[in-house]
Amino acid sequence: MTSATDFIFDATATKGQLAAQGTFTWSAPSNIALVKYWGKKEHQIPANPSLSFTLSNCKTITTLEFKKKESKGITFDLLFEGQPKEDFKPKIQKFFERILSYCPYIENYHFTIDTTNTFPHSSGIASSASGMAALSMNIMSLEQVLNPATTQDYFLKKASFLARLGSGSACRSIAGEIVVWGEQAEVTGSSDLFGIEAPFDVHANFKNYQDVILLVDKGEKQVSSTVGHDLMHNHPFAKERFNQAHQNLSQLKNILQTGDLKQFVALVESEALTLHAMMMTSMPYFILMKPNTLQIIEQIWAFRAKTEIPVCFTLDAGANVHVLFPESNKEIVLAFIREELSKFCQNEHFIEDKMGSGALLIK
Ligand code: 2P0
């Protein structure tokens, strides 16, 4: 069993030595949940377990420069694509405050954080998962300098633990192609504190699984995920939903092992619509789908009925549609997307992505 206290930095490990300065650069990918995290308790503890596919092309690249300083306290400069970005600072400030008791050494440094996304800004793709994951990997690289005895296993677990404190879904963007976050009876080693790589063999049908993100609405959404999570408190269907997520995760674990694509399609689409049903039945209620989201869903259903190709959709907390399909169907589904679905996207814009394996040290 791991508890949060296991992630408190042992100051005696540094033997009084502090690195004066240095730089690291990490990239971390976005991820797409198949069993959704929606609802949380205090301290970023999820109300139910979730499972995601890690992406490959949609990622954040973050450079962390650290310089030792005499005064204590959290200080940092934030650059987005090389330019100062004041409006991102409060979220990072809050992140540093949340991780301070686990990483007390951050008070000894001034940081310059330079971050860039490979996906277009304001595309409706959340950068909080990849962004918080990339920053957490950098912090752990610094921690490893301070304590060279840090093991690889601890490094990744604590990076995921820290990322979670920044943004829940970020803990699923650290390591592994398929990641489970949240304690679930049938997933060995699963934890509410960090994400783990799916601890079971996955059928070849899911190798290099494709995800094409259809950008239906690139604008800022009207209701943030933080507000959405909060509305699950006292939600009339919350208890049932949280139970269902446990059951769906058990079922999805079997599906991923057996390779049953028909069952995969049914479970994934049901999860997506359930997520949005929770939004529609919150008080106050809200709808993040747009008319074109529904147009796309209907087209996918018609295409699947006609071709029997196991293509399906999932949705994040927004109007964009993730189109999921096996690599073996790539050509035909991409042609369908180009010819039939791209017209429902803003400026016909979509992003071709696929399963990836997690964060990478760039330098
Ligand atoms: C998920 N989403 O599992 C679900 C499905 C969106 C829909 O996690 O408040 O940005 O930072 O912990 O992680 C979005 O919420 O929320 C999210 P915070 P987060 O991916």
Side-chain angles (χ1 to χ4, degrees):
M1 259 301 274
T2 313
S3 76
T5 53
D6 294 333
F7 295 112
I8 297 174
F9 181 71
D10 174 12
T12 59
T14 63
K15 302 186 181 72
Q17 302 287 314
L18 280 185
Q21 58 182 351
T23 303
F24 292 104
T25 302
W26 278 91
S27 77
S30 186
N31 71 75
I32 180 67
L34 304 181
V35 174
K36 310 291 184 179
Y37 151 56
W38 200 245
K40 61 177 159 180
K41 307 175 199 166
E42 251 197 316
H43 307 301
Q44 296 283 101
I45 298 300
N48 67 258
S50 56
L51 179 148
S52 57
F53 280 1
T54 305
L55 296 184
S56 178
N57 299 331
C58 289
K59 54 192 180 195
T60 297
I61 299 157
T62 299
T63 296
L64 179 78
E65 195 186 308
F66 55 96
K67 267 201 184 102
K68 196 163 169 265
K69 62 183 166 72
E70 293 311 317
S71 60
K72 286 252 175 181
I74 295 166
T75 65
F76 66 97
D77 296 313
L78 185 68
L79 307 174
F80 180 69
E81 293 175 350
Q83 299 299 318
K85 189 84 181 161
E86 289 303 309
D87 43 333
F88 284 5
K89 279 188 95 172
K91 196 149 190 195
I92 306 289
Q93 174 75 28
K94 198 160 153 194
F95 169 69
F96 280 136
E97 286 166 9
R98 282 180 183 171
I99 71 166
L100 182 60
S101 54
Y102 303 101
C103 308
Y105 50 83
I106 61 173
E107 279 202 304
N108 300 321
Y109 291 97
H110 179 78
F111 296 112
T112 304
I113 302 161
D114 194 346
T115 188
T116 125
N117 296 331
T118 59
F119 46 91
H121 188 49
S122 67
S123 56
I125 299 178
S127 60
S128 64
S130 52
M132 289 299 175
L135 183 54
S136 299
M137 291 305 265
N138 278 306
I139 298 286
M140 285 310 295
S141 281
L142 168 59
E143 179 163 320
Q144 192 158 45
V145 170
L146 303 178
N147 179 11
T150 307
T151 64
Q152 180 69 359
D153 179 60
Y154 183 82
F155 186 113
L156 294 177
K157 266 191 187 150
K158 185 165 174 181
S160 178
F161 175 88
L162 299 177
R164 186 195 97 244
L165 294 173
S167 185
S169 52
C171 77
R172 299 188 311 239
S173 279
I174 299 291
E177 294 187 332
I178 301 179
V179 178
V180 175
W181 168 40
E183 206 174 319
Q184 206 268 4
E186 289 174 35
V187 181
T188 314
S190 58
S191 169
D192 286 346
L193 300 177
F194 47 81
I196 61 161
E197 181 161 15
F200 45 82
D201 289 333
V202 174
H203 194 277
N205 282 351
F206 296 103
K207 193 173 176 324
N208 282 331
Y209 219 71
Q210 305 288 304
D211 179 7
V212 176
I213 307 162
L214 305 180
L215 304 180
V216 171
D217 186 20
K218 304 183 193 177
E220 190 139 326
K221 54 192 182 208
Q222 288 119 346
V223 181
S224 73
S225 288
T226 305
V227 172
H229 283 296
D230 208 36
L231 290 172
M232 288 303 282
H233 293 293
N234 306 315
H235 189 293
F237 308 135
K239 197 164 161 238
E240 274 307 309
R241 161 58 198 156
F242 300 148
N243 287 337
Q244 181 200 44
H246 280 266
Q247 288 160 17
N248 279 351
L249 189 45
S250 293
Q251 213 190 322
L252 184 55
K253 180 186 165 195
N254 283 333
I255 292 169
L256 291 171
Q257 289 172 296
T258 59
D260 190 326
L261 292 169
K262 217 171 174 163
Q263 287 184 23
F264 178 80
V265 162
L267 188 142
V268 166
E269 291 190 345
S270 165
E271 268 289 320
L273 293 180
T274 300
L275 167 71
H276 283 257
M278 290 300 112
M279 300 172 188
M280 290 192 260
T281 48
S282 295
M283 192 55 81
Y285 44 81
F286 60 105
I287 300 180
L288 296 182
M289 290 185 281
K290 297 283 180 196
N292 280 351
T293 309
L294 295 181
Q295 293 274 14
I296 289 167
I297 290 173
E298 290 197 337
Q299 295 279 334
I300 289 173
W301 286 346
F303 177 81
R304 194 167 71 222
K306 192 174 77 189
T307 63
E308 293 186 7
I309 289 171
V311 52
C312 68
F313 70 86
T314 190
L315 305 168
D316 231 328
N320 295 339
V321 182
H322 288 248
V323 186
L324 300 170
F325 49 96
E327 191 182 30
S328 57
N329 300 122
K330 188 172 170 180
E331 293 315 315
I332 185 163
V333 177
L334 276 178
F336 162 62
I337 289 170
R338 253 182 252 115
E339 287 156 27
E340 307 292 339
L341 302 184
S342 64
K343 59 173 169 279
F344 299 113
C345 302
Q346 269 193 8
N347 308 115
E348 307 203 346
H349 196 173
F350 59 86
I351 297 174
E352 290 178 39
D353 212 335
K354 60 175 187 219
M355 198 183 254
S357 58
L360 285 175
L361 179 63
I362 294 178
K363 70 173 197 290

